[in-house]
Amino acid sequence: MAVDKNMNVLIVDDYQTMLRIIKNLLKQLGFNNVDEATNGQLALESLKKKKYGLVISDWNMEPMTGLELLKTVRASNDEFKAVPFIMITAESKTENVVAAKQAGVNNYIVKPFNAETLKTKISSVLGDIG
Amino acid sequence: MAETSNAYKRDQVVQIISSVINKVGASETISRDLLYRELRDLHQIIEDARREIGLSRPGEIKHKHIPSATDELDAVVAATAEATGTIMDCCEAIENAAAGLEGEQAKSITDATMKIFEACSFQDITGQRITKVVKTLKDIDAKVDSLLSLLGADKFSAEDESASTGPQDDSALLNGPQLPGAGISQADIDKLLAEFD
């Protein structure tokens, strides 16, 4: 089934630079409906207000980290409980990846990354995005 | 050499304390003079150690070096963030200007701007690394702080101020880039130079 590129995508990162990079890369991949949040708490509020087809989140943020956001999402009884979730982070230790996987992450990208990696990982989560 | 001397003094302290404990434990009729001499030696070693720590100007580390290093690193993060923002503004402008193009021309511009966006992620990584360094410096600062309060902070601060006059020759002029607001502007420099005419 073709991926609906009009879906809403939520990107979460406390660095404005990173938000802009991911937003622009997504735009070039054909995703134009992209919202931003600068920490897990704000992302959770956005998830409660709007339906998202994908969440792309950094790990290291305050007051709520990306892992805490992921755990909260997966533990909720809300509609967004099963939203596809990709972690993009500089945390590259095995235990980080394991913890994210155990918390229910769909894929994991280590910074710095390129557009091809982002495209491949989104395709592996949502299906071929072309 | 200093390492050997410090190790020697540490051994000496342990020996004196052991000696005092043994003597007190072994006899109820211990000589007050003997005890006094040993405690006086101990006092002298501790005073020597305090003086040596004072000579290394620990207050300068806390009040000057660490705040200066963290400010410089914060300035690096701010400057690279600003530059990265400008680069991305330009990329977006190029993309908007190229929106009307088609075919190979459009593709090559999109590929190039995508590579620039990818490369801009250096700012996030360096920012995180610098944040880790700043945290380490703050941990060192806290440890120096507790050492200073243990050994008498006021004394060392006063000693540092009187001792840290810094270099007096031309090397005193080598301070590197100034933090935002710390230096003077080009306009001020022009004005200053004009005063010499």
Side-chain angles (χ1 to χ4, degrees):
Chain A
M1 201 170 81
V3 174
D4 176 16
K5 289 190 178 175
N6 288 318
M7 71 169 66
N8 294 314
V9 179
L10 179 62
I11 53 176
V12 196
D13 202 304
D14 54 350
Y15 269 76
Q16 281 298 329
T17 306
M18 213 58 202
L19 287 174
R20 279 184 74 179
I21 291 169
I22 298 171
K23 191 171 187 173
N24 275 289
L25 294 179
L26 286 171
K27 191 177 150 196
Q28 293 186 348
L29 292 173
F31 294 91
N32 288 304
N33 299 321
V34 181
D35 290 340
E36 301 171 3
T38 51
N39 66 60
Q41 193 73 56
L42 296 171
L44 205 55
E45 287 171 21
S46 296
L47 283 164
K48 285 175 181 168
K49 288 181 197 156
K50 199 193 266 190
K51 185 174 163 52
Y52 288 94
L54 177 64
V55 175
I56 298 176
S57 176
D58 181 29
W59 184 312
N60 195 349
M61 297 174 292
E62 288 178 350
M64 182 188 268
T65 67
L67 185 68
E68 286 165 346
L69 169 67
L70 173 61
K71 286 180 175 175
T72 307
V73 165
R74 295 290 184 250
S76 75
N77 288 317
D78 293 292
E79 200 185 346
F80 55 73
K81 179 185 174 72
V83 66
F85 197 113
I86 296 176
M87 192 80 85
I88 295 187
T89 173
E91 306 291 343
S92 57
K93 288 187 176 174
T94 308
E95 53 263 40
N96 287 81
V97 183
V98 170
K101 191 65 196 164
Q102 285 172 343
V105 82
N106 297 90
N107 223 311
Y108 196 103
I109 300 174
V110 177
K111 293 176 184 174
F113 62 98
N114 58 31
E116 191 53 39
T117 305
L118 183 63
K119 184 182 171 186
T120 307
K121 300 301 180 188
I122 293 175
S123 288
S124 79
V125 172
L126 301 178
D128 188 15
I129 59 169
Chain B
M1 191 65 194
E3 184 79 11
T4 318
S5 164
N6 287 340
Y8 170 73
K9 283 178 182 169
R10 274 199 303 274
D11 290 346
Q12 218 181 346
V13 169
V14 172
Q15 271 175 21
I16 292 170
I17 292 171
S18 301
S19 166
V20 171
I21 290 170
N22 289 337
K23 280 168 189 151
V24 171
S27 167
E28 287 180 3
T29 57
I30 184 170
S31 153
R32 283 187 62 188
D33 281 350
L34 184 66
L35 204 55
Y36 171 75
R37 273 200 307 277
E38 300 218 326
L39 287 175
R40 193 186 54 198
D41 289 348
L42 196 58
H43 175 260
Q44 189 56 50
I45 290 169
I46 291 168
E47 279 304 310
D48 288 349
R50 291 186 75 222
R51 198 178 58 250
E52 282 175 26
I53 291 168
L55 288 173
S56 69
R57 299 184 196 169
E60 207 172 62
I61 296 171
K62 175 170 175 54
H63 298 293
K64 185 177 165 190
H65 297 311
I66 289 181
S68 164
T70 53
D71 286 351
E72 295 284 352
L73 291 171
D74 286 343
V76 169
V77 174
T80 54
E82 192 182 338
T84 310
T86 305
I87 292 168
M88 290 196 293
D89 287 346
C90 294
C91 268
E92 286 169 2
I94 291 168
E95 282 185 336
N96 290 336
L101 297 175
E102 286 180 356
E104 199 54 41
Q105 258 187 326
K107 188 180 179 307
S108 56
I109 289 174
T110 305
D111 288 350
T113 53
M114 196 181 277
K115 281 196 169 61
I116 296 172
F117 281 124
E118 287 172 8
C120 285
S121 66
F122 87 92
Q123 201 272 321
D124 175 68
I125 303 293
T126 51
Q128 288 193 45
R129 289 197 193 285
I130 289 172
T131 303
K132 278 169 80 174
V133 174
V134 169
K135 188 180 172 300
T136 304
L137 285 172
K138 284 178 179 165
D139 287 346
I140 293 170
D141 186 27
K143 286 188 168 57
V144 170
D145 204 20
S146 58
L147 183 69
L148 284 179
S149 51
L150 199 70
L151 297 169
D154 295 345
K155 181 175 179 290
F156 290 131
S157 296
E159 281 174 2
D160 286 0
E161 276 171 27
S162 59
S164 62
T165 50
Q168 299 297 309
D169 59 6
D170 284 353
S171 65
L173 299 171
L174 295 172
N175 297 304
Q178 293 301 293
L179 291 170
I184 60 173
S185 68
Q186 183 59 53
D188 289 336
I189 291 169
D190 294 344
K191 211 184 293 175
L192 186 61
L193 289 174
E195 288 174 13
F196 286 86
D197 294 336

